[in-house]
PDB file of all heavy atoms in Angstrom:
ATOM      1  N   PHE A 605      18.740   4.453  -5.618  1.00 84.00           N
ATOM      2  CA  PHE A 605      19.161   4.528  -4.220  1.00 84.00           C
ATOM      3  C   PHE A 605      20.145   5.675  -3.975  1.00 84.00           C
ATOM      4  O   PHE A 605      20.074   6.376  -2.977  1.00 84.00           O
ATOM      5  CB  PHE A 605      19.855   3.226  -3.788  1.00 84.00           C
ATOM      6  CG  PHE A 605      19.143   1.985  -4.208  1.00 84.00           C
ATOM      7  CD1 PHE A 605      19.621   1.214  -5.249  1.00 84.00           C
ATOM      8  CD2 PHE A 605      17.985   1.584  -3.568  1.00 84.00           C
ATOM      9  CE1 PHE A 605      18.970   0.063  -5.643  1.00 84.00           C
ATOM     10  CE2 PHE A 605      17.334   0.435  -3.964  1.00 84.00           C
ATOM     11  CZ  PHE A 605      17.814  -0.323  -4.999  1.00 84.00           C
ATOM     12  N   GLY A 606      21.098   5.823  -4.906  1.00 89.00           N
ATOM     13  CA  GLY A 606      22.186   6.766  -4.668  1.00 89.00           C
ATOM     14  C   GLY A 606      21.979   8.148  -5.247  1.00 89.00           C
ATOM     15  O   GLY A 606      22.878   8.992  -5.147  1.00 89.00           O
ATOM     16  N   ASP A 607      20.819   8.422  -5.845  1.00 91.00           N
ATOM     17  CA  ASP A 607      20.647   9.694  -6.560  1.00 91.00           C
ATOM     18  C   ASP A 607      20.886  10.911  -5.674  1.00 91.00           C
ATOM     19  O   ASP A 607      21.569  11.864  -6.063  1.00 91.00           O
ATOM     20  CB  ASP A 607      19.240   9.764  -7.169  1.00 91.00           C
ATOM     21  CG  ASP A 607      19.102   8.890  -8.399  1.00 91.00           C
ATOM     22  OD1 ASP A 607      20.071   8.167  -8.721  1.00 91.00           O
ATOM     23  OD2 ASP A 607      18.032   8.904  -9.026  1.00 91.00           O
ATOM     24  N   TYR A 608      20.308  10.900  -4.485  1.00 91.00           N
ATOM     25  CA  TYR A 608      20.466  12.051  -3.579  1.00 91.00           C
ATOM     26  C   TYR A 608      21.943  12.267  -3.271  1.00 91.00           C
ATOM     27  O   TYR A 608      22.440  13.400  -3.306  1.00 91.00           O
ATOM     28  CB  TYR A 608      19.674  11.819  -2.296  1.00 91.00           C
ATOM     29  CG  TYR A 608      19.848  12.926  -1.282  1.00 91.00           C
ATOM     30  CD1 TYR A 608      19.031  14.048  -1.301  1.00 91.00           C
ATOM     31  CD2 TYR A 608      20.860  12.849  -0.314  1.00 91.00           C
ATOM     32  CE1 TYR A 608      19.208  15.072  -0.382  1.00 91.00           C
ATOM     33  CE2 TYR A 608      21.048  13.864   0.600  1.00 91.00           C
ATOM     34  CZ  TYR A 608      20.209  14.967   0.575  1.00 91.00           C
ATOM     35  OH  TYR A 608      20.389  15.985   1.473  1.00 91.00           O
ATOM     36  N   HIS A 609      22.643  11.195  -2.961  1.00 91.00           N
ATOM     37  CA  HIS A 609      24.039  11.319  -2.554  1.00 91.00           C
ATOM     38  C   HIS A 609      24.929  11.694  -3.738  1.00 91.00           C
ATOM     39  O   HIS A 609      25.922  12.423  -3.567  1.00 91.00           O
ATOM     40  CB  HIS A 609      24.495  10.012  -1.913  1.00 91.00           C
ATOM     41  CG  HIS A 609      23.711   9.672  -0.678  1.00 91.00           C
ATOM     42  ND1 HIS A 609      23.893  10.321   0.527  1.00 91.00           N
ATOM     43  CD2 HIS A 609      22.716   8.776  -0.471  1.00 91.00           C
ATOM     44  CE1 HIS A 609      23.060   9.826   1.425  1.00 91.00           C
ATOM     45  NE2 HIS A 609      22.332   8.896   0.843  1.00 91.00           N
ATOM     46  N   ILE A 610      24.576  11.213  -4.932  1.00 92.00           N
ATOM     47  CA  ILE A 610      25.334  11.607  -6.124  1.00 92.00           C
ATOM     48  C   ILE A 610      25.188  13.108  -6.361  1.00 92.00           C
ATOM     49  O   ILE A 610      26.173  13.821  -6.582  1.00 92.00           O
ATOM     50  CB  ILE A 610      24.869  10.805  -7.353  1.00 92.00           C
ATOM     51  CG1 ILE A 610      25.294   9.337  -7.211  1.00 92.00           C
ATOM     52  CG2 ILE A 610      25.417  11.403  -8.644  1.00 92.00           C
ATOM     53  CD1 ILE A 610      24.702   8.414  -8.264  1.00 92.00           C
ATOM     54  N   LEU A 611      23.963  13.595  -6.300  1.00 93.00           N
ATOM     55  CA  LEU A 611      23.736  15.026  -6.496  1.00 93.00           C
ATOM     56  C   LEU A 611      24.426  15.844  -5.409  1.00 93.00           C
ATOM     57  O   LEU A 611      25.012  16.900  -5.681  1.00 93.00           O
ATOM     58  CB  LEU A 611      22.234  15.323  -6.500  1.00 93.00           C
ATOM     59  CG  LEU A 611      21.466  14.872  -7.745  1.00 93.00           C
ATOM     60  CD1 LEU A 611      19.967  15.013  -7.527  1.00 93.00           C
ATOM     61  CD2 LEU A 611      21.891  15.675  -8.961  1.00 93.00           C
ATOM     62  N   HIS A 612      24.349  15.367  -4.192  1.00 91.00           N
ATOM     63  CA  HIS A 612      24.977  16.096  -3.084  1.00 91.00           C
ATOM     64  C   HIS A 612      26.492  16.135  -3.261  1.00 91.00           C
ATOM     65  O   HIS A 612      27.138  17.166  -2.990  1.00 91.00           O
ATOM     66  CB  HIS A 612      24.617  15.433  -1.756  1.00 91.00           C
ATOM     67  CG  HIS A 612      24.992  16.254  -0.564  1.00 91.00           C
ATOM     68  ND1 HIS A 612      26.199  16.128   0.076  1.00 91.00           N
ATOM     69  CD2 HIS A 612      24.320  17.243   0.093  1.00 91.00           C
ATOM     70  CE1 HIS A 612      26.269  16.987   1.080  1.00 91.00           C
ATOM     71  NE2 HIS A 612      25.139  17.675   1.113  1.00 91.00           N
ATOM     72  N   ALA A 613      27.077  15.025  -3.734  1.00 91.00           N
ATOM     73  CA  ALA A 613      28.523  14.990  -3.969  1.00 91.00           C
ATOM     74  C   ALA A 613      28.925  15.986  -5.046  1.00 91.00           C
ATOM     75  O   ALA A 613      29.974  16.635  -4.950  1.00 91.00           O
ATOM     76  CB  ALA A 613      28.959  13.580  -4.352  1.00 91.00           C
ATOM     77  N   VAL A 614      28.086  16.129  -6.067  1.00 91.00           N
ATOM     78  CA  VAL A 614      28.389  17.065  -7.147  1.00 91.00           C
ATOM     79  C   VAL A 614      28.380  18.499  -6.632  1.00 91.00           C
ATOM     80  O   VAL A 614      29.179  19.336  -7.066  1.00 91.00           O
ATOM     81  CB  VAL A 614      27.381  16.894  -8.302  1.00 91.00           C
ATOM     82  CG1 VAL A 614      27.592  17.974  -9.362  1.00 91.00           C
ATOM     83  CG2 VAL A 614      27.522  15.512  -8.932  1.00 91.00           C
ATOM     84  N   THR A 615      27.495  18.798  -5.673  1.00 89.00           N
ATOM     85  CA  THR A 615      27.412  20.174  -5.160  1.00 89.00           C
ATOM     86  C   THR A 615      28.637  20.565  -4.345  1.00 89.00           C
ATOM     87  O   THR A 615      28.853  21.749  -4.080  1.00 89.00           O
ATOM     88  CB  THR A 615      26.170  20.348  -4.263  1.00 89.00           C
ATOM     89  OG1 THR A 615      26.300  19.520  -3.093  1.00 89.00           O
ATOM     90  CG2 THR A 615      24.902  20.004  -4.996  1.00 89.00           C
ATOM     91  N   GLU A 616      29.440  19.587  -3.940  1.00 83.00           N
ATOM     92  CA  GLU A 616      30.605  19.902  -3.123  1.00 83.00           C
ATOM     93  C   GLU A 616      31.746  20.491  -3.939  1.00 83.00           C
ATOM     94  O   GLU A 616      32.775  20.864  -3.396  1.00 83.00           O
ATOM     95  CB  GLU A 616      31.060  18.640  -2.384  1.00 83.00           C
ATOM     96  CG  GLU A 616      30.007  18.151  -1.383  1.00 83.00           C
ATOM     97  CD  GLU A 616      30.422  16.890  -0.650  1.00 83.00           C
ATOM     98  OE1 GLU A 616      31.512  16.363  -0.959  1.00 83.00           O
ATOM     99  OE2 GLU A 616      29.670  16.451   0.226  1.00 83.00           O
TER     100      GLU A 616
END
Side-chain angles (χ1 to χ4, degrees):
F605 314 105
D607 285 5
Y608 177 88
H609 298 285
I610 291 171
L611 287 171
H612 191 268
V614 174
T615 65
E616 295 179 357

